[in-house]
Structures are given as C-alpha cells and as structure tokens.
C-alpha cells in the first residue's frame, strides 16, 4: 500500500500548489510511482503547475462515479520520471464533496501508487480536515508572515484535536533573506518549527526568479533554482522516511525559541 500525504495550509498564498507539484516531481524522479490528487474542488490549479491543462477531459469526480476508467482520468507529462495527476472537478464546491466517495478513491490510488500527494483546499474547512484525517501524514505549508503562522497554528490544533496521534510536519516557504549580518532566517525558521511543535522538513528561501503569473513557468523556474532543489530534496528525503539533517542546529533553535517566547 502506498503512502498518502496531505499538503495543507491554514491560509492561501503560501505556494502550496506549486510545492505539491514540485515535490511530486522530485519523488517521481527517484523512480517512485506518484499520483497528485488535486482536491481543490471548484478551483483546481495543479494542472496549470504541471502544464497539463490542455489535456483535461476527466476528473476524480468522473472516476468516482465510474464515468471513466482510471487510465482515462490520470494525466501525465511527457518523459520519464513524471508524476500522474488526477484533476479536481470545476463544477463542484468543496462543501458538496462526498467524503466517503473520496475515501474509496484514495484507497484505490493507494493500492496503485507508492505515494499519493493531496493538494488540499487552503484554510481550515471541513474538506481539508477530512482529507488530512485520511492521510498517513500531513505537511503544513506556511510562510513567516503573521497571518500565515496563525492559520498554520490553528489548523495544526484542529488536526491534533481530531487525531492526537496524527503525523504532522512543516515546510516554511518564501523565507526572506537576512537584511542584517546578525539576522539568521534559517534559525528563525527552526524557532517557528519549535514554537508550533512540528518537525521542519524544509525551509525554502524566497527566490525572486520564481514569480511568474504563469504557473507552469513558475514551476520550471523553481526546478532550475539550486536552493529550491536542495530544500525539495530534503523534504522528499523526509517524506521517504530518511532523517536527513537540515541546516539549522539545535543551539540556534533554542536561542530563537527563547526570543519568540519572551
């Protein structure tokens, strides 16, 4: 049985969808069979990040209703080492999703793929929380801004309340570079990880070259960014069960954690 991983964000604008696509591509490049499930019903976006929007015919609602075969619903880019995509329906709102139907679909995907990455709707809605409950692991995506941190803290608390033993981790995206010599963005990221009590899988620095409004171009730009690739490889290692050390060390983490808590 494959591993189901839900990627979630307590607030929009964290780069969650782009990260889902990029992580799926990194895992697939390792030879893993990977399916990306776009769960953002009514507002899909993974097809754009993967450049597959022109191939769209069927979505996971069609597959769940048995209106098409699995092979017809799955999309895949050209070339070796590409993840599969199961797109979200555009004419279905999140509150109208049949959770039991989606659970059966995930079970089918889990039997076929090594990894199923779910791009969940941003926020703390019931669909997002249900998908995280179905997953073997949830990765929360946040930035360092206050609103994003608050959303992450709230979503994490709700998930823990529903499932105290849930496996939840953290990726911090768009980490701003240091403006002063004494600033240390990586240590600040480690401190936030400690404050939220979530293991840090990656801290990705802001890259001004990854800013295109074209989702596929942004994904291509990210794939050429050395720091992005390094951070994504670290995150992929963690998702595969490897305890790859991050750049942050415990001394700096304790220092920044003491500053945050006052």
């Amino acid at each position: 049985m494959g591993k189901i991983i839900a990627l979630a964000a307590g607030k929009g604008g964290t780069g969650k969808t782009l990260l889902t696509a990029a992580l799926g591509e990194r895992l697939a490049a390792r030879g893993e069979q990977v399916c990306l499930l776009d769960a953002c019903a009514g507002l899909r976006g993974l097809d754009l990040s993967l450049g597959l929007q022109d191939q769209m015919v069927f979505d996971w609602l069609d597959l769940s209703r048995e209106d098409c075969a699995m092979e017809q619903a799955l999309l895949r880019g050209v070339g070796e080492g590409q993840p599969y995509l199961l797109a979200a329906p555009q004419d279905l709102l999140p509150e109208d999703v049949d959770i039991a139907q989606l659970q059966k679909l995930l079970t089918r995907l889990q039997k076929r793929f090594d990894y199923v990455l779910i791009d969940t709707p941003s926020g703390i809605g019931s669909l997002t929380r249900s998908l995280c409950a179905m997953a073997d692991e949830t990765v929360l995506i946040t930035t360092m801004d206050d609103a994003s941190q608050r959303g992450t803290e709230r979503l994490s608390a709700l998930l823990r309340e529903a499932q105290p033993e849930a496996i939840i981790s953290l990726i911090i995206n768009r980490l701003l570079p240091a403006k002063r010599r004494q600033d240390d963005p990586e240590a600040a990221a480690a401190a936030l990880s400690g404050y939220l009590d979530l293991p840090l899988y990656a801290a990705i620095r802001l890259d001004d070259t990854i800013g295109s409004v074209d989702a596929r171009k942004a994904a291509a730009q990210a794939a050429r960014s050395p720091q992005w690739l390094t951070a994504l490889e670290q995150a992929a290692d963690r998702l595969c069960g490897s305890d790859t050390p991050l750049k942050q060390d415990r001394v700096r983490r304790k220092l920044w954690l003491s500053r945050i808590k006052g």
Side-chain angles (χ1 to χ4, degrees), residues 12-172:
T14 63
K16 172 179 56 63
T17 295
L18 179 58
L19 280 171
T20 302
L23 277 172
E25 289 177 336
R26 298 318 304 163
L27 289 170
R30 298 181 177 200
E32 306 287 356
Q33 290 293 303
V34 181
C35 178
L36 307 181
L37 175 67
D38 190 340
C40 299
L43 200 62
R44 64 184 177 223
L46 269 176
D47 57 318
L48 296 172
S49 292
L50 294 167
L52 298 174
Q53 65 272 19
D54 294 334
Q55 299 182 35
M56 290 292 308
V57 178
F58 299 107
D59 53 53
W60 53 254
L61 183 60
D62 298 315
L63 182 57
S64 297
R65 292 173 174 172
E66 299 184 353
D67 291 335
C68 66
M70 177 79 78
E71 296 303 324
Q72 292 176 297
L74 289 171
L75 301 176
R76 196 182 193 189
V78 178
E80 296 295 324
Q82 295 292 321
Y84 288 87
L85 169 66
L86 194 50
Q90 280 287 77
D91 55 353
L92 184 70
L93 296 177
E95 56 267 27
D96 297 326
V97 172
D98 186 327
I99 300 298
Q101 194 178 57
L102 201 51
Q103 174 74 79
K104 291 180 181 178
L105 176 59
L106 282 170
T107 301
R108 291 178 62 186
L109 296 174
Q110 193 176 23
K111 292 178 180 178
R112 170 165 178 166
F113 293 96
D114 299 316
Y115 291 92
V116 179
L117 271 60
I118 308 173
D119 183 20
T120 69
S122 295
I124 59 174
S126 60
L127 177 57
T128 293
R129 288 182 280 117
S130 295
L131 288 166
C132 291
M134 295 177 198
D136 298 304
E137 179 175 354
T138 295
V139 181
L140 299 183
I141 313 298
T142 188
T143 62
M144 292 295 290
D145 72 83
D146 293 341
S148 183
Q149 291 182 39
R150 177 185 292 172
T152 301
E153 186 173 14
R154 178 61 177 149
L155 180 55
S156 176
L158 289 171
L159 297 179
R160 291 284 191 206
E161 181 180 328
Q163 291 182 303
E165 302 303 318
I167 299 174
I168 307 173
S169 54
L170 182 70
I171 291 179
I172 299 176

Side-chain angles (χ1 to χ4, degrees), residues 207-240:
D207 190 331
D208 290 334
T209 66
I210 307 172
S212 174
V213 294
D214 184 309
R216 185 55 191 162
K217 287 182 179 178
Q221 290 162 349
R224 293 192 296 269
S225 169
Q227 67 90 17
W228 249 75
L229 289 176
T230 298
L232 288 171
E233 286 295 343
Q234 287 178 335
D237 284 344
R238 294 295 182 92
L239 292 175
C240 292

Side-chain angles (χ1 to χ4, degrees), residues 195-206:
Y195 176 73
L196 295 173
D197 194 24
L198 298 173
L200 182 62
Y201 275 16
I204 306 174
R205 290 204 180 201
L206 178 67

